[in-house]
Amino acid sequence: IVRDFDRLPLTGARKPRVGVVGEILVKYHPTANGNLIHQLEAEGCEVSVTGMIEFFSYCISNPIWHSVTLGTSKAKAHASQAALSLVAKARRALNGELAKSKRFEPFSDINDLAELAKPVVSLCNNAGEGWYLVADTRKLITDGVRNVVCIQPFGCLPNHVLGRGTLRELQRRHPEANIMALDFDPGASEANQQNRLKLFLAVAKGC
């Protein structure tokens, strides 16, 4: 399927690319995020959202970093490494096809993502989306997706700490990036959300 889609002609200029990162439920559930991806696409953007398997790989990998840094159970670290190897093996063939594609990118290795997070936060920081949120943002930027929306529920403290709390450092390391944190909550003003999104998109489109 990937190869067949690759045969379609590339036409026109590339749309502005916008990455979506954030709290796991709000990131993937259209009702929780006000159908954000549809809104971005309606504004003429190409939306990039990493797969759920990366988040689950982050969860699986945490005992490895705890063992290395904090001296916790080596048995759990070995079990985590074995589970990650199974994940990598299961998607090896698809990754090979994605690597050949002109339109798609292969899945990220969790160790490569960890290296992206290391300079900004400790790999022992695994509250909520933990260090993965930082790695996800940096991976998008280094892949050329320079516009990133970090979304979270208003009451999600871990995501605010790792999202808003690291935004200044991420912006310092990637001055070319356009990063915005956006809250989604039943009591939040939809007009305020839309205004902030419009300003973000004005920068994304080079207006």
Side-chain angles (χ1 to χ4, degrees):
I1 294 173
V2 171
R3 302 306 299 161
D4 287 344
F5 190 80
D6 240 11
R7 294 190 186 102
L8 295 173
L10 291 167
T11 58
R14 188 159 196 171
K15 299 176 180 179
R17 301 179 73 189
V18 177
V20 177
V21 303
E23 193 270 340
I24 188 71
L25 173 64
V26 177
K27 179 179 175 181
Y28 292 110
H29 202 300
T31 302
N33 63 36
N35 218 353
L36 177 63
I37 292 175
H38 176 74
Q39 288 185 56
L40 292 171
E41 289 178 339
E43 290 285 347
C45 298
E46 177 186 327
V47 183
S48 295
V49 184
T50 50
M52 293 187 74
I53 194 64
E54 273 73 25
F55 174 78
F56 293 131
S57 294
Y58 144 75
C59 295
I60 294 169
S61 72
N62 281 322
I64 299 172
W65 320 122
H66 289 185
S67 177
V68 170
T69 309
L70 304 176
T72 55
S73 171
K74 291 187 181 298
K76 288 183 179 179
H78 290 317
S80 294
Q81 192 59 64
L84 290 173
S85 297
L86 287 174
V87 171
K89 183 179 180 181
R91 60 182 187 176
R92 187 173 297 148
L94 177 56
N95 245 7
E97 290 302 309
L98 291 172
K100 299 174 189 175
S101 172
K102 296 177 182 178
R103 300 172 186 269
F104 301 97
E105 295 164 354
F107 296 110
S108 303
D109 183 88
I110 195 63
N111 294 301
D112 294 336
L113 291 174
E115 289 299 318
L116 287 173
K118 268 184 185 179
V120 181
V121 292
S122 167
L123 296 184
C124 291
N125 190 328
N126 63 344
E129 284 63 44
W131 61 262
Y132 173 69
L133 180 58
V134 174
D136 196 12
T137 303
R138 294 198 74 197
K139 181 67 170 72
L140 286 166
I141 295 170
T142 55
D143 283 348
V145 184
R146 296 182 178 180
N147 306 288
V148 181
V149 184
C150 179
I151 58 178
Q152 59 269 317
F154 178 76
C156 183
L157 182 59
N159 199 263
H160 277 267
V161 171
L162 270 299
R164 292 180 185 273
T166 60
L167 196 148
R168 179 177 292 182
E169 177 61 15
L170 289 170
Q171 200 76 69
R172 186 185 72 80
R173 290 176 177 273
H174 302 281
E176 76 282 8
N178 173 30
I179 312 172
M180 180 186 70
L182 189 60
D183 292 345
F184 284 90
D185 191 76
S189 166
E190 186 176 345
N192 184 50
Q193 289 175 347
Q194 291 299 317
N195 287 338
R196 297 195 66 218
L197 194 59
K198 292 285 186 184
L199 288 171
F200 170 82
L201 290 172
V203 177
K205 295 176 180 179
C207 298

